[in-house]
Amino acid sequence: MSWPALYAQLVGANRHSTSLGKIWLSVLFIFRVMVLVVAAESVWGDEQSDFTCNTLQPGCENVCYDQFFPVSHIRLWCLQLVFVSTPTLLVAMYVAYRNHSDKKRLLQGSGRAGFLSSKGQEEDLETLKRRRLPIAGALWWTYACSLVCRLLFEGGFMYALYVVYDGFQMPRLVQCDQWPCPNLVDCFISRPTEKTIFTVFMATASSICMVLNMAELAYLVAKAVTSSLRSNEERKKCKKSSRERTHNKTTHVSLVST
């Protein structure tokens, strides 16, 4: 799969995110995608060919391998990264929709005005393309939903990895008695210590991303609550000042009439 294309899409959407979102993207691609592409794939490249069992029964090794490795670590991590990155594209889709609507409104307004120069119109369109939307209103809900989806996908894939492989530690020896194995046979996994280190590292990086997502979600909620409280206070102050002005006018009129 093309990781640079995915990175370009995520960077475009990440322009409208918070600082924690930018840190999350850096952790995702430096500590997960880069490690997966550069090192992890070579470690698991010999996974099935070096899985040996102490039997010559045809098909026994394949059946035992399928029993203990129903899904490859590499493919599971690739699926996890794709699913975790996909919710960010919701933000990109909403930003593209907003830019398209504003661009259409700008072109219609300039067409009605008739006096806007082509150079000024190009500058306005370029500013519209490069602007950073504030995380408020519909964009806040879209961004918050994307964070929740990220957390669900991260937690779901980590749970699946733990359940499928019975933990994050790779055993040196596994025993299999599946048909067509003649009896209980011993099977040996290549480089179990190295694979355990990579598995723990990827699980730790996934946990760090989950912590960043939870912190960013808490920040957005706190910011929204603070903004709502501030707007309520300003509304109360406006109402109070309008009442005072009305009261002062009434008092002034009564004094003048007397």
Side-chain angles (χ1 to χ4, degrees), residues 32-167:
R32 297 177 71 178
V33 175
M34 290 293 292
V35 170
L36 180 65
V37 173
V38 174
E41 287 185 350
S42 60
V43 172
W44 266 270
D46 59 350
E47 188 175 5
Q48 187 171 4
S49 60
D50 287 350
F51 182 83
T52 56
C53 301
N54 59 353
T55 181
L56 297 177
Q57 178 70 25
C60 181
E61 286 189 2
N62 291 336
V63 171
C64 293
Y65 178 82
D66 183 69
Q67 178 184 354
F68 293 104
F69 298 98
V71 181
S72 172
H73 281 72
I74 298 298
R75 293 179 179 87
L76 188 64
W77 285 331
C78 287
L79 282 175
Q80 181 180 7
L81 291 173
V82 169
F83 273 86
V84 167
S85 304
T86 301
T88 307
L89 300 180
L90 294 175
V91 181
M93 292 171 60
Y94 176 78
V95 171
Y97 168 75
R98 280 283 303 273
N99 289 338
H100 177 73
S101 300
D102 294 343
K103 178 181 178 181
K104 186 177 180 180
R105 194 179 303 112
L106 178 65
L107 293 175
Q108 289 177 351
S110 62
R112 284 195 300 267
F115 57 82
L116 186 62
S117 64
S118 60
K119 184 177 180 180
Q121 183 177 349
E122 291 177 359
E123 291 178 355
D124 290 339
L125 293 176
E126 191 66 24
T127 303
L128 183 66
K129 188 185 299 183
R130 294 181 179 178
R131 68 175 178 174
R132 182 180 182 273
L133 294 176
I135 304 177
L139 182 58
W140 187 94
W141 286 104
T142 306
Y143 200 96
C145 289
S146 70
L147 290 176
V148 173
C149 291
R150 279 189 220 165
L151 287 170
L152 292 176
F153 286 139
E154 290 278 19
F157 274 97
M158 285 189 67
Y159 178 75
L161 181 68
Y162 187 86
V163 170
V164 169
Y165 297 107
D166 196 19

Side-chain angles (χ1 to χ4, degrees), residues 14-27 132 143 216:
N14 224 41
R15 282 194 303 115
H16 308 277
S17 66
T18 63
S19 300
L20 290 171
K22 293 178 173 61
I23 296 173
W24 170 82
L25 184 62
S26 300
V27 172
R132 182 180 182 273
Y143 200 96
E216 190 174 11

